[in-house]
Amino acid sequence: MAKEIEAAPSVQLSSIAVSETHGENSPYFAGWKAYDENPYNEASNPSGVIQMGLAENQVSFDLLEEYLETHPEASFRGRGATGFRENALFQDYHGLPTFRKAMASFMEEIRGGRAKFDPRRVVLTAGATAANELLTFVLADRGTAWLVPTPYYPGFDRDLRWRTGVNIVPINCDSSNNFQITTPALEAAYELAESMNIRVSGVLITNPSNPLGVTISRSVLEDILDFITRKNIHLVSDEIYSGSVFSSSEFVSVAEVLEAREYKGSERVHIVYSLSKDLGLPGFRVGTIYSYNDEVVTTARRMSSFTLISSQTQHLLACMLSDKKFTKNYIEVNRTRLRKRYERIIEGLRSAGIECLKGNAGLFCWMNLSPLLEKPTKEGELDLWRTMVHELKLNISPGSSCHCSEPGWFRVCFANMSEHTLEVALERIHKYMEQRRT
Amino acid sequence: MSYVSSNRKPLLSRKATNDGHAEKSPYFDGWKAYDKDPFNPTQNPSGVIQMGLAEHQLCFDLVQEWLVSNPEASICTKKGVDKFRDIALFQDYHGLPAFRNAVAKFMGRVRGDKVKFDPDRIVMSGGATGAHEMITFCLADPGDAFLVPTPYYAGFDRDLCWRTEARLLPVVCHSSNNFKVTRKALEEAYAKAVEANISVKGLLLTNPSNPLGTILDRDTLREAMSFINEKNIHLICDEIYAATVFRQPDFISIAEIIEEDQEYNRNLVHIIYSLSKDMGFPGFRVGIVYSYNDAVVECGRKMSSFGLVSSQTQYLIASMLSDDQFIGKFLLESAGRLATRHNDFTDGLCQVGIKCLNGNAGLFLWMDLRGLLMDSTVEAETALWRVIINDVKLNVSPGSSFHCSEPGWFRVCIANMNEETTKVALARIREFVLRNGNKPNRKEKCWQSDLRLRLSFRRIDDVLRSPCIMSPHSPIPQSPLVRTRT
């Protein structure tokens, strides 16, 4: 008679730990796995999967490297003994004053000086990921909701909801008006939440938009501000791609619109920024929250204790971003290079018979493959996506992972590779489209 | 231009408006006094001396020397800039392999290489602050509780409870047995929770202890393991002061205990670590969650996205901690300097009849001022504390802010200043005690100098070979200075 082996009593983890809200089972990440298993390399693996699902900015590193080579004070060696000690000890959640000041002024420069930022309102977090979660903890109770326009960055499902217990109710946008946010769409989303007995805490927009690669117009921003004022809810404007707008005059920040309103109602508005996209430094974990609400600034600052920026990194960036000559040049050159990349990919796709949404910002384009779908459904889109990943060996992101209401759209990143690799990708698309025609 | 306007104020969350940030605690009040009037030997010699901040400032010269000789460890220098791009792009929440390997190795060395740590179980977080919150999010639902022996670090109330909505239940410890964490106290705390219908998810131990400056002995650790296994609850061991042990007895990590018995459920054990105290780098935000539970490692890793260590810092730390020779020298020097500083203070305090709990670790002393209280109450302790801040001009931390059950104890940080400031601080204490000499029993002879073996720091192996001095669990009877109040 076999003796029953007593299994160790199973150990319970939290509900958060066992939920799937971290979102890593989404196709957004499945493509990454395909890439990890067979990554393209110009020399050693030219037929591997090209990573076009990662919104990174790799076009301007030479400018950063040049700065470092000519500015030894950015490292500790240049600052001497007391410099290192003070820096290693500095854990004040107000942040290095020089760094906060440099961030505020950099944000002003990106907006062409059209908005002013007070360094005392800058709260530092380890990346925009942390900033968005933190703002959610501050502005929204568990069980309430953010209204978020679709399509949106897949990471929001985790960042805004996972540990906070807050919901996302979509504001549906579609191609009939180039995915612009309209007041009827805002009202419909609000009513949908109400019908589900969910209290709305605010609206969260991304401007410029990820995944659309388009800036939000001034009149739409005005409409959104009016809407949140009427409902007395918050507005978070995630502006992490603001430095990646191809032409400086085309970006209107919510900060400018508030200034024009003499800051009336501004205590409802909060901006998220980061250096991950504009400067191409995702590894350094540099995020900020800029709030016009004093209470939010105070509380967010206290909460930032869980996610401060390394003082070593604050010091480096304070040096770099305080150098006006450097920042002016960087912003201009970076913008130009991104625009050139964008123009190349649009041209390349067009000559293959593929159209994209007209974009003016970001590290990606929003490609329309709906004419190629076997079925105009999410399944049809995922079938096509699998072809892209496994046959063309291009990891692009399906619109459904961005909660797009229309199937057939894909986000294609172009700034995280060399010009040569971009050509290889375009060549593969050309070949595929040709094969389809025959 | 017309637009909608309204005078109504928008709502903030409950978390934003409650006191979960814990900043109303007296722990932070003293800091405010310091901020307004900070001591400076030349510019403000009568300012408040900061003795409320547990920092390790004694070994920066060693680190600075290492940095100068290793320019390639910084991606900003000419030597290191070729790595800049790859490091700047690296945001993988697994962390730089070199970083994880170096941290695992360092953790082993700090524990005298008695245990090995697996780099794949290392998860990053935003400092130990972030680590504590993260492990709580992994293990506890809102309303669930952790048992914590008192006195405990004031920041735990915020770190483990604020955004997680978990709660802390005290396991009360007493000076009568040097604040030992007894099985009885653990059982009592647990039973109390059960009666109140509170779900206990785990036990949180800090070893070495903040604020006591003592280490847990093997028996206590074994009892704790047996307790959590029996109740099937988690054990979180905060070992962030592991390398600040400067004297025997040797530090024993929970990592050692776990190997002693195959019956222990390893899935219950998690270690919190950081470089803020052992290396003196609080600004770099290097927090670590080390879990023996695969599911916790996986979940924690995903959560670490909210508090990753800057890749620039990971790179520097990986380089520094892999330098075996440097680390060996650092750990030795650090222990020696902490021992000397500890002795300087305890001797100086002893000379004016002030006793501290006998500790061998940490960056602070647990000072016994019960004899100076008007009453044995928190109010009296607070009154004394205000005198110390405003008259003596020392920011020390009152025991009540650490949830100590007995009024009159104070945590005094001693490793965050140079020798000159040490002398000034001691002089002020001396002067204050002598000024208040009309209080009974102030001039008792310092018996400790007779009983305690004097140790001046020589080489660490001499220290280790010396006979063990009075440990907190010594059979030697209590000092006559400890008066029982009727």
Side-chain angles (χ1 to χ4, degrees):
Chain A
M1 195 150 19
K3 183 168 180 227
E4 246 187 25
I5 299 169
E6 229 179 83
S10 70
V11 181
Q12 272 225 294
L13 300 192
S14 66
S15 316
I16 288 173
V18 302
S19 82
E20 296 266 302
T21 321
H22 51 73
E24 283 194 18
N25 297 329
S26 139
Y28 183 70
F29 298 101
W32 290 27
K33 290 175 194 150
Y35 167 78
D36 283 336
E37 277 156 24
N38 181 18
Y40 169 86
N41 182 291
E42 209 173 300
S44 58
N45 189 18
S47 61
V49 177
I50 298 180
Q51 174 64 285
M52 303 190 90
L54 193 49
E56 277 177 354
N57 180 357
Q58 294 191 23
V59 308
S60 303
F61 274 116
D62 57 320
L63 300 177
L64 300 172
E65 285 156 0
E66 195 195 306
Y67 175 86
L68 292 173
E69 281 167 7
T70 49
H71 291 82
E73 68 277 14
S75 82
F76 294 124
R77 292 197 75 213
R79 288 198 74 202
T82 36
F84 174 79
R85 180 175 156 276
E86 266 163 27
N87 188 263
L89 287 170
F90 189 87
Q91 58 171 330
D92 179 353
Y93 59 30
H94 289 81
L96 271 183
T98 47
F99 177 58
R100 253 193 325 164
K101 194 152 167 277
M103 277 301 272
S105 94
F106 188 65
M107 286 169 75
E108 283 177 6
E109 271 188 85
I110 284 176
R111 290 156 184 73
R114 295 183 298 270
K116 288 226 119 355
F117 290 92
D118 178 354
R120 291 167 305 181
R121 295 193 170 283
V122 172
V123 176
L124 302 173
T125 63
T129 300
N132 282 316
E133 188 197 45
L134 199 156
L135 268 180
T136 305
F137 274 122
V138 172
L139 304 175
D141 280 325
R142 186 176 285 281
T144 63
W146 285 112
L147 302 183
V148 186
T150 64
Y152 63 78
Y153 164 55
F156 280 160
D157 289 328
R158 172 197 60 194
D159 301 348
L160 306 177
R161 301 183 319 160
W162 190 20
R163 305 192 305 180
T164 61
V166 172
N167 304 297
I168 294 177
V169 172
I171 300 166
N172 285 311
C173 304
D174 59 63
S175 59
S176 63
N177 68 343
N178 293 316
F179 297 95
Q180 284 182 85
I181 302 161
T182 64
T183 299
L186 287 162
E187 294 283 359
Y190 192 90
E191 273 155 40
L192 176 61
E194 273 194 317
S195 74
M196 297 191 286
N197 250 327
I198 299 174
R199 178 162 70 84
V200 174
S201 288
V203 174
L204 189 141
I205 58 175
T206 309
N207 179 27
S209 160
N210 173 12
L212 302 176
V214 184
T215 57
I216 300 181
S217 73
R218 179 179 285 266
S219 68
V220 172
L221 286 173
E222 300 271 11
D223 288 345
I224 296 172
L225 273 173
D226 287 344
F227 175 77
I228 60 125
T229 306
R230 273 199 302 277
K231 306 292 193 204
N232 193 28
I233 58 179
H234 293 278
L235 174 63
V236 171
S237 181
D238 181 332
E239 302 192 348
I240 69 173
Y241 291 98
S242 48
S244 313
V245 184
F246 307 148
S247 146
S248 107
S249 54
E250 292 191 46
F251 175 60
V252 178
S253 164
V254 72
E256 294 173 54
V257 183
L258 283 175
E259 217 165 273
R261 294 181 176 208
E262 291 169 342
Y263 299 106
K264 289 213 176 60
S266 61
E267 68 276 3
R268 298 187 187 86
V269 183
H270 326 275
I271 297 175
V272 170
Y273 187 57
S274 158
L275 298 181
S276 300
K277 311 298 179 182
D278 290 348
L279 280 185
L281 307 172
F284 289 1
R285 314 316 299 147
V286 181
T288 70
I289 292 169
Y290 188 92
S291 176
Y292 295 91
N293 183 316
D294 292 347
E295 235 188 300
V296 172
V297 171
T298 304
T299 305
R301 196 164 269 147
R302 287 180 174 142
M303 266 191 201
S304 68
S305 299
F306 298 112
T307 182
L308 296 173
I309 300 177
S310 168
S311 52
Q312 180 195 15
T313 303
Q314 289 190 51
H315 168 70
L316 163 62
L317 293 169
C319 287
M320 206 184 264
L321 299 184
S322 313
D323 185 330
K324 294 286 167 270
K325 198 159 150 243
F326 168 78
T327 52
K328 185 162 185 286
N329 182 54
Y330 181 92
I331 291 172
E332 249 175 68
V333 173
N334 182 51
R335 204 171 256 159
T336 307
R337 289 179 183 176
L338 288 175
R339 189 180 65 242
K340 285 212 167 84
R341 279 289 171 105
Y342 173 77
E343 284 165 357
R344 176 65 198 114
I345 197 177
I346 293 302
E347 190 206 330
L349 290 174
R350 185 167 285 148
S351 66
I354 295 174
E355 288 299 319
C356 298
L357 183 72
K358 186 160 189 328
N360 64 347
L363 311 173
F364 33 74
C365 60
W366 189 236
M367 184 169 74
N368 184 4
L369 294 185
S370 56
L372 304 184
L373 294 185
E374 297 242 353
K375 294 166 280 167
T377 60
K378 181 174 166 187
E379 289 66 41
E381 177 185 285
L382 289 176
D383 281 339
L384 181 57
W385 172 69
R386 274 184 271 277
T387 305
M388 290 286 150
V389 174
H390 300 296
E391 282 184 36
L392 282 84
K393 302 258 185 18
L394 300 175
N395 177 31
I396 59 179
S397 310
S400 50
S401 67
C402 302
H403 302 276
C404 185
S405 53
E406 290 174 27
W409 293 86
F410 290 78
R411 188 192 76 170
V412 185
C413 298
F414 55 71
N416 63 322
M417 60 188 69
S418 68
E419 285 177 23
H420 177 261
T421 308
L422 182 56
E423 295 303 323
V424 172
L426 287 169
E427 179 58 36
R428 291 184 189 180
I429 294 176
H430 263 269
K431 275 211 180 84
Y432 171 73
M433 292 301 280
E434 258 181 54
Q435 278 168 14
R436 280 188 71 106
R437 277 193 280 274
T438 57
Chain B
M1 185 196 318
S2 74
Y3 50 81
V4 174
S5 78
S6 160
N7 286 326
R8 289 174 299 161
K9 283 185 73 165
L11 280 181
L12 299 192
S13 70
R14 281 190 285 269
K15 284 178 185 136
T17 47
N18 67 20
D19 286 338
H21 51 76
E23 282 192 15
K24 294 222 169 99
S25 154
Y27 185 70
F28 297 103
D29 272 356
W31 290 27
K32 291 170 193 158
Y34 167 78
D35 283 336
K36 285 196 195 122
D37 181 21
F39 170 82
N40 180 291
T42 43
Q43 289 160 18
N44 190 19
S46 63
V48 176
I49 297 179
Q50 174 63 285
M51 303 190 87
L53 195 47
E55 282 176 347
H56 183 1
Q57 293 196 23
L58 306 185
C59 292
F60 281 116
D61 57 321
L62 301 175
V63 178
Q64 182 61 27
E65 199 187 294
W66 185 89
L67 285 172
V68 168
S69 335
N70 292 274
E72 71 287 354
S74 163
I75 53 177
C76 303
T77 60
K78 283 206 167 94
K79 279 257 160 78
V81 78
D82 59 331
K83 298 275 184 312
F84 182 81
R85 195 190 133 107
D86 287 340
I87 298 296
L89 285 171
F90 189 88
Q91 59 171 329
D92 180 348
Y93 59 30
H94 289 82
L96 279 176
F99 171 75
R100 272 187 295 133
N101 290 336
V103 170
K105 195 160 76 139
F106 180 71
M107 286 172 72
R109 280 198 81 172
V110 165
R111 289 152 184 75
D113 285 317
K114 285 178 278 180
V115 278
K116 269 188 120 45
F117 288 91
D118 178 359
D120 290 336
R121 293 194 171 284
I122 289 190
V123 177
M124 296 181 285
S125 58
T129 302
H132 276 292
E133 189 195 46
M134 194 238 275
I135 192 73
T136 306
F137 269 124
C138 286
L139 303 178
D141 285 330
D144 288 345
F146 286 94
L147 303 179
V148 198
T150 65
Y152 64 82
Y153 164 55
F156 282 160
D157 292 316
R158 171 198 60 192
D159 301 349
L160 281 102
C161 305
W162 191 14
R163 305 193 302 182
T164 60
E165 297 176 75
R167 31 196 306 186
L168 294 181
L169 300 174
V171 175
V172 187
C173 303
H174 305 279
S175 63
S176 52
N177 61 352
N178 290 306
F179 299 96
K180 187 179 164 93
V181 183
T182 64
R183 184 63 179 255
K184 181 163 175 278
L186 289 171
E187 295 286 358
E188 264 171 29
Y190 188 86
K192 228 173 132 185
V194 169
E195 215 188 292
N197 236 335
I198 299 172
S199 169
V200 176
K201 269 296 154 67
L203 169 64
L204 169 64
L205 295 177
T206 308
N207 177 32
S209 162
N210 174 14
L212 300 177
T214 55
I215 58 171
L216 296 177
D217 63 36
R218 198 172 288 272
D219 282 337
T220 303
L221 288 165
R222 283 175 179 157
E223 280 289 3
M225 272 300 268
S226 137
F227 173 74
I228 60 126
N229 271 270
E230 189 192 288
K231 309 286 193 254
N232 196 31
I233 60 176
H234 293 276
L235 177 61
I236 303 171
C237 273
D238 180 332
E239 300 191 345
I240 69 174
Y241 290 98
T244 66
V245 178
F246 53 81
R247 196 165 58 202
Q248 288 240 302
D250 279 346
F251 175 62
I252 304 169
S253 165
I254 198 71
E256 288 178 56
I257 303 297
I258 221 180
E259 304 296 345
E260 284 184 350
D261 191 341
Q262 294 303 321
E263 294 295 307
Y264 289 144
N265 185 352
R266 298 165 81 96
N267 283 322
L268 296 173
V269 182
H270 324 276
I271 297 176
I272 302 295
Y273 192 57
S274 159
L275 297 182
S276 300
K277 310 298 178 182
D278 285 354
M279 294 295 294
F281 298 158
F284 292 173
R285 315 314 301 149
V286 182
I288 303 288
V289 173
Y290 186 94
S291 176
Y292 291 89
N293 182 319
D294 292 346
V296 171
V297 169
E298 230 187 275
C299 175
R301 198 161 270 144
K302 294 181 169 105
M303 283 191 187
S304 67
S305 300
F306 298 111
L308 295 173
V309 176
S310 166
S311 54
Q312 177 195 18
T313 302
Q314 287 187 51
Y315 188 76
L316 171 68
I317 295 299
S319 194
M320 199 185 284
L321 299 189
S322 332
D323 186 334
D324 288 335
Q325 224 191 16
F326 167 71
I327 290 301
K329 179 168 150 202
F330 180 93
L331 291 175
L332 192 62
E333 271 300 311
S334 172
R337 293 178 189 185
L338 286 171
T340 305
R341 181 56 61 87
H342 181 94
N343 290 343
D344 287 347
F345 264 98
T346 48
D347 286 354
L349 292 172
C350 194
Q351 281 164 26
V352 291
I354 294 183
K355 198 170 93 97
C356 297
L357 184 69
N358 200 343
N360 67 332
L363 307 172
F364 32 72
L365 302 169
W366 188 237
M367 189 165 69
D368 182 1
L369 295 185
R370 289 176 296 169
L372 295 183
L373 293 189
M374 298 305 292
D375 292 287
S376 180
T377 59
V378 173
E379 289 70 35
E381 176 187 280
T382 307
L384 174 59
W385 173 64
R386 282 198 215 292
V387 167
I388 298 175
I389 297 219
N390 297 320
D391 294 356
V392 192
K393 301 285 204 64
L394 301 176
N395 176 32
V396 300
S397 310
S400 53
S401 66
F402 296 92
H403 302 275
C404 186
S405 57
E406 298 168 25
W409 292 88
F410 290 79
R411 189 191 75 172
V412 183
C413 296
I414 58 174
N416 62 325
M417 57 187 67
N418 60 20
E419 279 182 35
E420 200 190 323
T421 311
T422 300
K423 294 196 177 93
V424 175
L426 280 170
R428 290 185 188 180
I429 295 174
R430 200 171 293 132
E431 198 234 358
F432 169 72
V433 175
L434 296 176
R435 228 191 316 133
N436 290 280
N438 56 338
K439 293 211 172 40
N441 289 328
R442 284 297 76 76
K443 298 238 170 74
E444 299 208 355
K445 184 173 175 212
C446 178
W447 63 277
Q448 281 187 336
S449 52
D450 297 325
L451 287 174
R452 197 173 71 182
L453 293 160
R454 296 225 150 266
L455 273 176
S456 60
F457 172 71
R458 299 184 303 277
R459 287 157 49 79
I460 198 73
D461 38 16
D462 287 342
V463 171
L464 293 176
R465 278 198 296 270
S466 298
C468 183
I469 53 164
M470 217 171 76
S471 86
H473 312 295
S474 160
I476 295 173
Q478 289 291 320
S479 156
L481 275 176
V482 178
R483 305 184 323 113
T484 45
R485 293 201 151 265
T486 49

